[in-house]
Amino acid sequence: MIPRAIQTELEKSLREYPVVCITGPRQSGKTTLARMALPDFHYVNFEDPITRDIFNEDPRGFLHQHRNGAVFDEVQHVPALLSFLQVHVDQDPIPGRFLLTGSQHFGMTERISQSLAGRTAMLELLPFSAGEMAAARMLADELDPAIWQGAYPPVHDRDLRPDRWYANYMATYVQRDVRQISQIQNLDIFTRLMRLCAGNVGQLVNTVRLATECGTDHKTIRNWIGVLEASYVLTRLPPYYRSFRKRIIKTPKLYFFDTGLACHLLGIQSTEQLATHPLRGALFENWVFAELTKSIKNKALASHIYFWRTHGGQEVDFIIEQGQRIDGIEVKAGMTVHPSMLRSLNNTAFGWKGGNMRTWVVYGGKDFMNIGKSVVVPWRHTGYPLPET
């Protein structure tokens, strides 16, 4: 198993809480991580319909069999489990007693907050980070292969062809997972929406335009984007609007959690196609967003990512807020960074009222450097906090 950066936080949580829950997309490594963390515990997979039937027939008896602890996988299939777990952990709140995993974020979080509030730690596991792959000597030497391959574990630790694996992943996701989350009747239109979203990575979300292009109404599009968020396909990045002097855009932007899936949806079949694709820069920006997000979630940091854009067109790709710390991050896909490229970033830092903003540039090259007050970071070293050289 490739060591995961979240393992340290998972071990801490198991020492502190009777229940720990790991959510994240399918195939991100949740089951492997959970079984590694508690190898001597009973493992129960609720993907198995027979196991679900056994639980539903006698929930109390089922839990009594596992009263000393268990790993419960894909618990979104048995929502009643959480209420029965509450009784067990209230009677015996030994830390590290139950480890749960689930693939649907919003429903899981809501049910856990209702049933196990104060009794559980919530962790989110996304696909491999660049740091994890670099440590395992699996990270590509060049940027384009890293974007195209994506970061899902099976592509790397099983050495599978990315285009074939993502095609199978999409088929399984659309035919099974989407139907479990929402009663979507027209899967063809839903798939078209996914492809349109891939064509809009890093862009402001416009549900009216997406509805027109899909041939449906914008309320449906909003609901379907919620489904894609609940299943960790994509997310909406909110704008930062505090402590700036100018009028700013307040519409969120769209990013995928994995660029390999986005490339597949765009029909990019090789790194050579990606190198000349008009969305290469946007896909690299998406790749940086995913890496920053993984770092924050793997460390369970109380940090938040935003973007900033004025009505006049001034923008900064990412702003990260952690307490009083504010970082402004610009993304450049090229292998060369000129001082003129930092103008918007410097103007934003100057307009910040809340104190000094540290500024960074993540680019497609290989060398660290300093340009003015900004640190220029090679793509292979993307993470949070960013290195300060």
Side-chain angles (χ1 to χ4, degrees), residues 287-318:
W287 187 89
V288 172
F289 165 79
E291 289 302 310
L292 295 171
T293 301
K294 291 169 193 174
S295 294
I296 289 171
K297 292 186 181 301
N298 286 341
K299 299 170 186 174
L301 298 176
S303 303
H304 303 280
I305 307 178
Y306 307 90
F307 75 95
W308 182 76
R309 178 184 294 181
T310 70
H311 285 274
Q314 233 183 340
E315 66 177 308
V316 173
D317 292 325
F318 303 116

Side-chain angles (χ1 to χ4, degrees), residues 126-249:
L126 297 178
F128 286 147
S129 68
E132 290 168 339
M133 287 191 286
R137 298 183 178 179
M138 290 184 174
L139 182 63
D141 293 330
E142 302 295 332
L143 174 58
D144 288 342
I147 296 173
W148 180 68
Q149 292 169 358
Y152 272 94
V155 173
H156 297 275
D157 58 22
R158 290 161 52 191
D159 198 26
L160 301 179
R161 289 177 292 167
D163 52 345
R164 183 69 176 272
W165 187 84
Y166 283 108
N168 293 333
Y169 186 86
M170 267 291 297
T172 302
Y173 167 73
V174 170
Q175 294 297 329
R176 183 179 65 178
D177 294 355
V178 169
R179 291 186 185 277
Q180 291 177 357
I181 300 171
S182 180
Q183 297 299 314
I184 294 175
Q185 302 300 320
N186 197 322
L187 292 178
D188 289 338
I189 296 180
F190 184 82
T191 303
R192 188 186 311 164
L193 172 65
M194 292 183 68
R195 298 188 187 282
L196 288 170
C197 287
N200 285 271
V201 291
Q203 301 299 312
L204 299 177
V205 179
N206 187 330
T207 56
V208 174
R209 179 171 57 79
L210 290 172
T212 300
E213 294 179 1
C214 285
T216 186
D217 60 276
H218 68 93
K219 182 178 179 180
T220 298
I221 295 299
R222 283 201 305 270
N223 291 338
W224 287 0
I225 288 177
V227 170
L228 292 168
E229 287 187 298
S231 49
Y232 287 94
V233 170
L234 53 75
T235 189
R236 283 171 283 194
L237 181 69
Y240 194 92
Y241 55 88
R242 296 187 290 275
S243 300
F244 285 92
R245 299 183 177 98
K246 299 182 179 180
R247 286 186 67 224
I248 58 127
I249 299 291

Side-chain angles (χ1 to χ4, degrees), residues 144-145 148 268 270-278 280-281:
D144 288 342
W148 180 68
I268 300 173
S270 67
T271 56
E272 291 76 18
Q273 289 183 10
L274 174 60
T276 58
H277 198 278
R280 179 180 180 271

Side-chain angles (χ1 to χ4, degrees), residues 41-210:
F41 276 39
H42 288 118
Y43 170 74
V44 180
N45 187 352
F46 286 112
E47 285 270 65
D48 181 357
I50 296 177
T51 302
R52 294 201 296 268
D53 288 342
I54 293 172
F55 169 80
N56 289 326
E57 287 176 5
D58 184 11
R60 290 186 176 85
F62 185 94
L63 280 178
H64 182 74
Q65 294 178 23
H66 303 289
R67 60 189 179 278
N68 294 324
V71 174
F72 292 140
D73 206 0
E74 302 293 354
V75 297
Q76 72 272 7
H77 295 296
V78 284
L81 171 70
L82 303 176
S83 297
F84 287 99
L85 273 180
Q86 177 186 346
V87 176
H88 269 262
V89 298
D90 283 350
Q91 293 174 348
D92 190 4
I94 298 173
R97 192 173 169 199
F98 296 103
L99 180 53
L100 319 180
T101 80
S103 299
Q104 298 170 16
H105 173 49
F106 293 163
M108 284 276 295
T109 302
E110 181 180 354
R111 287 192 290 268
I112 288 174
S113 65
Q114 292 173 352
S115 301
L116 295 171
R119 306 168 180 88
T120 184
M122 295 289 297
L123 302 176
E124 292 179 86
L125 181 69
L126 297 178
F128 286 147
S129 68
E132 290 168 339
M133 287 191 286
R137 298 183 178 179
M138 290 184 174
L139 182 63
D141 293 330
E142 302 295 332
L143 174 58
D144 288 342
I147 296 173
W148 180 68
Q149 292 169 358
Y152 272 94
V155 173
H156 297 275
D157 58 22
R158 290 161 52 191
D159 198 26
L160 301 179
R161 289 177 292 167
D163 52 345
R164 183 69 176 272
W165 187 84
Y166 283 108
N168 293 333
Y169 186 86
M170 267 291 297
T172 302
Y173 167 73
V174 170
Q175 294 297 329
R176 183 179 65 178
D177 294 355
V178 169
R179 291 186 185 277
Q180 291 177 357
I181 300 171
S182 180
Q183 297 299 314
I184 294 175
Q185 302 300 320
N186 197 322
L187 292 178
D188 289 338
I189 296 180
F190 184 82
T191 303
R192 188 186 311 164
L193 172 65
M194 292 183 68
R195 298 188 187 282
L196 288 170
C197 287
N200 285 271
V201 291
Q203 301 299 312
L204 299 177
V205 179
N206 187 330
T207 56
V208 174
R209 179 171 57 79
L210 290 172

